[in-house]
Coordinates of all heavy atoms in Angstrom, one line a residue:
Chain F
T26 N -37.0 31.0 20.7 CA -37.4 30.7 19.4 C -37.0 31.8 18.4 O -36.5 31.5 17.3 CB -38.9 30.5 19.3 OG1 -39.2 29.4 20.2 CG2 -39.3 30.0 17.9
V27 N -37.3 33.1 18.7 CA -37.0 34.1 17.7 C -35.5 34.2 17.3 O -35.2 34.5 16.2 CB -37.6 35.5 18.1 CG1 -39.1 35.5 18.0 CG2 -37.1 35.9 19.5
E28 N -34.7 34.0 18.3 CA -33.2 34.0 18.0 C -32.8 32.8 17.2 O -32.0 32.9 16.3 CB -32.4 34.2 19.3 CG -32.5 35.5 19.9 CD -31.3 35.9 20.7 OE1 -30.2 35.5 20.4 OE2 -31.5 36.7 21.7
D29 N -33.4 31.6 17.6 CA -33.0 30.4 16.9 C -33.5 30.4 15.5 O -32.9 29.9 14.6 CB -33.5 29.2 17.7 CG -32.7 28.9 18.9 OD1 -31.6 29.6 19.1 OD2 -33.1 28.1 19.8
L30 N -34.7 30.9 15.3 CA -35.3 31.0 13.9 C -34.4 32.0 13.1 O -34.2 31.7 11.9 CB -36.8 31.4 13.9 CG -37.7 30.3 14.4 CD1 -39.2 30.9 14.5 CD2 -37.8 29.1 13.4
Y31 N -34.1 33.1 13.7 CA -33.2 34.1 13.0 C -31.9 33.4 12.5 O -31.6 33.5 11.3 CB -32.8 35.2 14.0 CG -31.8 36.1 13.4 CD1 -32.2 37.4 12.9 CD2 -30.4 35.8 13.4 CE1 -31.3 38.2 12.4 CE2 -29.5 36.7 12.9 CZ -29.9 37.9 12.3 OH -29.0 38.8 11.8
E32 N -31.3 32.6 13.3 CA -30.0 31.9 12.9 C -30.3 30.8 11.9 O -29.5 30.7 10.9 CB -29.3 31.3 14.1 CG -28.8 32.4 15.1 CD -27.9 31.8 16.2 OE1 -27.3 30.8 15.9 OE2 -27.9 32.4 17.3
A33 N -31.4 30.1 12.0 CA -31.7 29.1 11.0 C -31.9 29.7 9.6 O -31.4 29.2 8.6 CB -33.0 28.4 11.4
L34 N -32.5 30.9 9.6 CA -32.7 31.6 8.3 C -31.5 32.2 7.8 O -31.2 32.0 6.6 CB -33.8 32.7 8.5 CG -35.2 32.1 8.8 CD1 -36.2 33.2 9.2 CD2 -35.8 31.4 7.5
V35 N -30.6 32.8 8.6 CA -29.4 33.4 8.0 C -28.4 32.3 7.6 O -27.6 32.5 6.7 CB -28.7 34.4 8.9 CG1 -29.5 35.7 9.1 CG2 -28.3 33.8 10.3
N36 N -28.5 31.1 8.2 CA -27.7 30.0 7.8 C -28.1 29.4 6.5 O -27.4 28.7 5.9 CB -27.8 28.9 8.9 CG -26.9 29.1 10.0 OD1 -26.0 30.0 10.0 ND2 -27.1 28.4 11.1
S37 N -29.4 29.7 6.1 CA -29.9 28.9 5.0 C -29.6 29.5 3.6 O -29.2 28.8 2.7 CB -31.4 28.8 5.1 OG -32.0 30.1 5.0
V38 N -29.7 30.8 3.4 CA -29.6 31.4 2.1 C -28.8 32.7 2.2 O -29.3 33.6 3.0 CB -31.0 31.6 1.5 CG1 -30.8 32.4 0.2 CG2 -31.7 30.3 1.2
P39 N -27.7 32.9 1.5 CA -27.1 34.3 1.6 C -28.0 35.3 0.9 O -28.6 35.0 -0.1 CB -25.8 34.1 0.7 CG -25.7 32.6 0.3 CD -27.0 32.0 0.6
G40 N -28.2 36.4 1.6 CA -29.0 37.5 1.0 C -30.5 37.4 1.4 O -31.3 38.2 0.9
I41 N -30.9 36.4 2.1 CA -32.3 36.3 2.5 C -32.7 37.5 3.4 O -31.9 38.0 4.1 CB -32.5 34.9 3.3 CG1 -34.0 34.7 3.6 CG2 -31.7 34.9 4.6 CD1 -34.3 33.4 4.2
K42 N -33.9 38.0 3.2 CA -34.5 39.0 4.0 C -35.7 38.5 4.7 O -36.5 37.8 4.1 CB -34.9 40.2 3.1 CG -33.7 41.0 2.5 CD -32.9 41.6 3.6 CE -31.5 42.2 3.1 NZ -30.6 42.6 4.2
F43 N -35.9 38.8 6.0 CA -37.0 38.2 6.7 C -37.3 39.0 8.0 O -36.5 39.7 8.5 CB -36.6 36.8 7.1 CG -35.4 36.7 7.9 CD1 -35.5 36.6 9.3 CD2 -34.2 36.6 7.4 CE1 -34.4 36.5 10.1 CE2 -33.0 36.5 8.2 CZ -33.2 36.5 9.6
G44 N -38.6 38.7 8.4 CA -39.1 39.1 9.7 C -39.7 38.0 10.4 O -40.4 37.2 9.7
I45 N -39.5 37.8 11.7 CA -40.0 36.7 12.5 C -40.8 37.3 13.7 O -40.3 38.2 14.3 CB -38.9 35.9 13.1 CG1 -37.9 35.4 12.0 CG2 -39.4 34.8 14.0 CD1 -36.6 34.9 12.6
A46 N -41.9 36.7 14.0 CA -42.6 37.1 15.3 C -43.2 35.8 16.0 O -43.6 34.9 15.3 CB -43.7 38.1 15.0
F47 N -43.1 35.8 17.3 CA -43.5 34.7 18.1 C -44.4 35.1 19.3 O -44.0 36.1 19.9 CB -42.2 34.0 18.6 CG -42.5 33.0 19.7 CD1 -43.0 31.7 19.3 CD2 -42.2 33.2 21.0 CE1 -43.2 30.7 20.3 CE2 -42.4 32.3 22.0 CZ -42.9 31.0 21.6
C48 N -45.5 34.5 19.5 CA -46.4 34.8 20.6 C -46.1 34.1 21.9 O -46.4 33.0 22.1 CB -47.9 34.5 20.2 SG -48.5 35.3 18.7
E49 N -45.3 34.9 22.7 CA -45.1 34.4 24.1 C -46.4 34.1 24.7 O -47.4 34.8 24.6 CB -44.3 35.5 24.8 CG -43.8 35.1 26.2 CD -43.2 36.4 26.9 OE1 -43.5 37.5 26.5 OE2 -42.4 36.2 27.8
A50 N -46.4 33.0 25.5 CA -47.7 32.5 26.0 C -47.9 32.5 27.5 O -48.9 32.0 28.1 CB -47.9 31.0 25.5

Side-chain angles (χ1 to χ4, degrees):
Chain F
T26 304
V27 287
E28 291 206 28
D29 286 350
L30 287 174
Y31 174 99
E32 291 188 31
L34 291 168
V35 291
N36 280 342
S37 64
V38 173
I41 189 175
K42 289 295 169 189
F43 61 92
I45 302 165
F47 168 75
C48 296
E49 186 185 20

